[in-house]
Amino acid sequence: MIYGAILKEGLELFTCFKEIFHSLDNFQKNYNWLITDVEAAPFKAGHYERITQSGRYAWISGEELTGIIKKDNFPWIWGVLSGFEKCYEKEEILRYDLPYADGYGGFWKTELSIQHPLASIELVAWDGCLTFFLSKQENLVKMFHTAFPLSDDLKEYNKGITEEKKYLK
């Protein structure tokens, strides 16, 4: 089962991840990360290049991601950070389509899913104005809701959107 949250209010910058990492006990260190579909505004030179190694994606450890964000808590406009158990190798991950944020309709469905079939977590910056947090671990999503009380349960939020669409027809 996939659990999810959407954060669209309550923070000055919704897509700066340092506060999220800190609030969730630096969970990101336990994973390797595939970072895709990035548009960001790093404050320090070199960080943008590091998170887009090939121009299409980056594959970095949770420790490296932590170091980048610790040095430069920049806003992400678009981007998908897919977290993988450390048992997976990059070559295995790259056999699948790369996740994307801009134009992906799956965020708005009542049946939640993580884009990459091998990922355990998906953290998404969406147009610089909201953050999606999806996980196979319910406890992480509960921690997210506790840390960010103005976040909404993504499944319930999407049900509301679906109900609105019924009335617009």
Side-chain angles (χ1 to χ4, degrees):
M1 179 169 228
I2 306 298
Y3 305 91
I6 181 172
L7 180 61
K8 55 186 176 39
E9 57 186 319
L11 291 176
E12 186 176 334
L13 296 170
F14 301 106
T15 57
C16 290
F17 296 140
K18 185 176 185 178
E19 188 174 347
I20 292 172
F21 293 163
H22 176 73
S23 297
L24 301 180
D25 295 330
N26 288 304
F27 76 97
Q28 76 282 358
K29 291 181 180 181
N30 299 323
Y31 300 89
N32 287 325
W33 293 89
L34 177 67
I35 303 173
T36 55
D37 195 26
V38 175
E39 184 178 329
F43 300 119
K44 298 182 181 175
H47 291 162
Y48 188 76
E49 292 78 13
R50 185 65 193 120
I51 59 171
T52 58
Q53 294 167 346
S54 71
R56 293 184 42 219
Y57 70 88
W59 176 253
I60 62 176
S61 70
E63 292 82 6
E64 188 173 2
L65 177 59
T66 302
I68 291 170
I69 299 302
K70 185 177 182 180
K71 290 177 186 171
D72 188 359
N73 188 31
F74 55 87
W76 298 62
I77 311 306
W78 295 99
V80 180
L81 286 74
S82 303
F84 297 86
E85 301 292 334
K86 292 191 176 193
C87 63
Y88 292 110
E89 297 293 327
K90 176 174 120 175
E91 293 73 27
E92 188 173 6
I93 301 305
L94 293 177
R95 289 184 191 141
Y96 297 90
D97 292 336
L98 296 176
Y100 60 99
D102 189 3
Y104 178 66
F107 298 129
W108 311 109
K109 295 184 178 184
T110 53
E111 188 64 35
L112 301 181
S113 63
I114 293 175
Q115 290 182 66
H116 197 290
L118 302 177
S120 297
I121 295 173
E122 192 169 78
L123 180 61
V124 181
W126 195 85
D127 200 18
C129 63
L130 54 90
T131 299
F132 292 104
F133 184 75
L134 297 125
S135 176
K136 293 179 179 177
Q137 297 180 36
E138 184 178 19
N139 67 318
L140 278 178
V141 176
K142 285 182 177 181
M143 287 173 65
F144 187 93
H145 286 302
T146 300
F148 305 101
L150 295 178
S151 65
D152 291 311
D153 177 281
L154 183 56
K155 188 172 189 169
E156 293 302 314
Y157 182 85
N158 288 344
K159 282 181 186 176
I161 292 173
T162 303
E163 289 299 316
E164 279 182 27
K165 285 182 180 178
K166 286 181 187 177
Y167 298 112
L168 294 176
K169 291 181 180 180

